Amino acid sequence: MLSDIETYFHLAKEETDVAQRGTLLAEIEREIAAGDKYVSELETVTLLSGENDRLNAIVTIKPGAGGMESQDWAEMLLRMYLRWAERQGFPTVLYDYQAGEEAGLKSATFAVNGHYAYGLLLGEIGVHRLVRISPFDQAKRRHTSFASVYVSPEIDDTIEVVIKPEDIRVDTYRSSGKGGQHVNTTDSAVRITHIPTGLVANCQNERSQHKNKEKAMSMLRSKLYEFELEKKREVTKKIEDSKLDIDFGSQIRSYVLQPYRMIKDHRTKLEIGDVDRVLDGDLRPFMQAYLRMRRGEKK
């Protein structure tokens, strides 16, 4: 790659035709941008050294207080993460989607399947804050909305998590969604509650109640595994700041659309003014900044 750039520079220096020189300079810019992206991705891989970083991820998004405003914000976050996964080439599976009454969503859980998906998404755990002129407010007033994001690793068969039958409650309900022929009309959706911890796993994307139960149990195992890891971190006082109890006074990132446009991560202090690019799934700068911060904390 470096030799190609040097060649282009030499050709541009020797070229007398203005148009051709412009073409060569544009090619140099593309090569430099490609090189920068390659180095950036290589750095990211070296920073992903956590115990479960390599695993797939299960992501749950829930709106905070604020009704339709926060529910719409939660929907925006869902789109942002699905677009991010698409950019990465990571397949996603929407396990559970509870639509809001008028707009947005009440809860959504989806899987991101890809190498290091969990390690990349780990830094997204926490409360995300949105400030904007509400599209639902006829007076065009500024509103602040909150939504929480939780990420757990999708554990594989090499990790054993024992769940006692007497410790769970299984409920079935009718699937809901955005409509269309794929929405079930029978009580095939499954919700499993782990009574000792209060952890809940839902699945409704399969037509079979048996398959939904099987997938919900898999998600519950992943959540319990992450729950136990969290307890160990607390005992040893090595828990990361971003993984403290999620409440609506501890936002990790603010997305401000009015009166100015800026996204700021409150942990790494990284600020990006291109709000649309981030909301369209370009989370790489924030993820890299978080991973660098995590590496610094471990030293």
Side-chain angles (χ1 to χ4, degrees):
M1 183 177 293
L2 182 60
S3 61
D4 290 341
I5 294 174
E6 290 176 345
T7 300
Y8 282 125
F9 267 119
H10 178 73
L11 290 173
K13 184 179 180 180
E14 298 295 327
E15 183 60 56
T16 57
D17 184 85
V18 175
Q20 186 63 27
R21 181 181 296 174
T23 301
L24 290 169
L25 291 175
E27 191 63 38
I28 291 171
E29 288 181 0
R30 282 193 291 270
E31 288 289 336
I32 292 175
D36 181 64
K37 181 180 178 183
Y38 174 77
V39 172
S40 179
E41 291 175 349
L42 188 62
E43 180 195 22
T44 299
V45 172
T46 63
L47 293 171
L48 291 166
S49 57
E51 182 181 359
N52 298 307
D53 284 355
R54 62 181 176 80
L55 300 177
N56 297 333
I58 297 174
V59 184
T60 297
I61 301 173
K62 291 184 178 181
M68 186 164 54
E69 279 292 332
S70 291
Q71 290 175 9
D72 187 59
W73 171 224
E75 180 86 59
M76 291 170 64
L77 285 174
L78 173 62
R79 179 188 179 279
M80 181 180 76
Y81 289 120
L82 293 179
R83 287 286 294 120
W84 171 81
E86 183 181 337
R87 284 169 174 258
Q88 296 293 121
F90 292 167
T92 57
V93 181
L94 186 63
Y95 288 146
D96 184 64
Y97 182 94
Q98 303 294 325
E101 285 86 357
E102 299 180 62
L105 59 86
K106 291 181 179 178
S107 176
T109 299
F110 61 98
V112 180
N113 301 315
H115 207 42
Y116 291 111
Y118 174 68
L120 291 167
L121 286 165
L122 180 62
E124 298 302 303
I125 295 175
V127 175
H128 297 246
R129 170 177 173 260
L130 173 70
V131 180
R132 66 171 176 175
I133 299 296
S134 170
F136 309 107
D137 188 337
Q138 293 183 349
K140 301 299 180 183
R141 290 170 294 189
R142 193 163 66 243
H143 286 249
T144 300
S145 307
F146 299 92
S148 65
V149 175
Y150 180 75
V151 184
S152 59
E154 186 175 52
I155 60 176
D156 53 30
D157 295 335
T158 63
I159 301 172
E160 183 179 2
V161 176
V162 178
I163 301 177
K164 298 178 182 179
E166 62 268 24
D167 285 345
I168 62 173
R169 183 179 71 248
V170 180
D171 300 305
T172 58
Y173 59 97
R174 184 160 297 182
S175 297
S176 64
K178 300 183 179 181
Q181 61 180 343
H182 298 298
V183 175
N184 296 329
T185 57
T186 59
D187 292 343
S188 61
V190 174
R191 177 186 299 109
I192 303 179
T193 304
H194 187 253
I195 299 170
T197 62
L199 293 173
V200 178
N202 303 299
C203 188
Q204 63 169 315
N205 71 309
E206 301 287 350
R207 291 184 176 272
S208 160
Q209 185 182 114
H210 174 74
K211 289 183 178 179
N212 279 329
K213 182 179 179 181
E214 186 178 278
K215 181 53 68 174
M217 280 296 294
S218 176
M219 285 191 285
L220 183 61
R221 288 175 66 240
S222 295
K223 288 187 175 185
L224 281 170
Y225 180 67
E226 178 66 15
F227 179 80
E228 291 301 321
L229 287 179
E230 186 77 5
K231 287 201 302 183
K232 290 180 181 178
R233 294 188 189 106
E234 289 174 352
V235 171
T236 58
K237 295 183 179 181
K238 290 182 179 179
I239 186 169
E240 299 159 14
D241 291 341
S242 65
K243 297 195 71 181
L244 295 172
D245 292 339
I246 296 175
D247 60 56
F248 296 104
S250 61
Q251 60 265 15
I252 64 165
R253 193 176 300 150
S254 291
Y255 305 70
V256 181
L257 308 187
Q258 288 287 344
Y260 55 90
R261 295 175 67 82
M262 179 70 68
I263 300 178
K264 179 178 180 179
D265 192 289
H266 300 293
R267 304 158 301 175
T268 64
K269 310 305 179 186
L270 176 64
E271 297 182 354
I272 292 181
D274 193 344
V275 173
D276 294 330
R277 188 186 75 188
V278 175
L279 291 177
D280 197 41
D282 186 2
L283 297 170
R284 183 166 58 94
F286 288 112
M287 290 179 171
Q288 286 183 318
Y290 173 79
L291 290 171
R292 292 190 195 104
M293 183 191 74
R294 184 177 71 166
R295 179 176 61 182
E297 289 176 350
K298 289 182 178 179
K299 289 182 179 180

